[in-house]
Amino acid sequence: MPFLHTATEKIYYEVHSPVFTDKTETIVMVHSVITDHTLFDSITAELTQHYSVIQYDLRETGNSASATGEISFEAHIEDLFHLLHTLHIKKCYLVGVGFGGQIAVKFAARYEFLIQGLINIVSSFLFR
C-alpha cells in the first residue's frame, strides 16, 4: 500500500490513471470526516478515462495514522500539500465532500497556485 510518511504521520493514498503523464490533468478527492477514500470508488473508474485521480485517507481515517493525534484544518492542509509535492503535482482539481470540502476551500485559499478548479459537495444529510 502506498503511504506518504512524515516524521509523525502515515497518510494512505491511491493514484488511479490510465496514463500518468505531465499532460494528464489530476483530480484530488478529499472525503468527509465520517468516511474514507473509498467514498469515491464508484466514480473513480469513470474519471480515470480522462484524468488521474488521487484518493487519500485523512489523518486517523481509513488506512492513515497519526502519531500526534492532531486533527486540525492546518494539519490536514499541510498533509495535502505534502502529498501533492511528493507526487510532483503542479496543478489539480480539488473535489471535497462535507468536512473534506472545508479542507479543500482552505487549501485552495492558501495554495491557489496549485488549483485548477474546486468542487465542493455539501452532503444533504447535514441539513436534516
Side-chain angles (χ1 to χ4, degrees):
M1 290 193 282
F3 288 96
L4 168 68
H5 292 275
T6 69
T8 59
E9 310 309 315
K10 184 171 118 175
I11 306 298
Y12 176 79
Y13 68 92
E14 295 179 357
V15 177
H16 303 272
S17 180
V19 179
F20 195 80
T21 68
D22 290 338
K23 296 180 181 180
T24 303
E25 294 182 312
T26 301
I27 299 173
V28 179
M29 314 294 267
V30 188
H31 63 82
S32 62
V33 74
I34 59 172
T35 61
D36 64 12
H37 74 279
T38 61
L39 175 67
F40 304 107
D41 283 353
S42 64
I43 62 171
T44 297
E46 185 69 29
L47 290 173
T48 56
Q49 292 181 29
H50 304 285
Y51 300 92
S52 294
V53 177
I54 298 171
Q55 297 169 248
Y56 73 103
D57 287 332
L58 299 174
R59 290 178 180 210
E60 300 295 324
T61 63
N63 296 316
S64 291
S66 173
T68 64
E70 179 186 356
I71 300 177
S72 66
F73 281 118
E74 183 65 30
H76 288 302
I77 289 166
E78 290 311 305
D79 289 345
L80 180 52
F81 177 80
H82 289 302
L83 180 62
L84 295 179
H85 178 74
T86 299
L87 296 176
H88 306 288
I89 305 299
K90 294 176 179 26
K91 287 267 191 192
C92 68
Y93 295 96
L94 276 182
V95 176
V97 176
F99 182 73
Q102 293 177 51
I103 294 168
V105 167
K106 291 177 185 299
F107 181 90
R110 179 172 300 163
Y111 297 110
E112 182 179 345
F113 64 94
L114 291 171
I115 305 302
Q116 282 181 278
L118 175 65
I119 299 171
N120 195 353
I121 303 168
V122 179
S123 301
S124 61
F125 72 86
L126 295 175
F127 297 105
R128 290 185 184 171

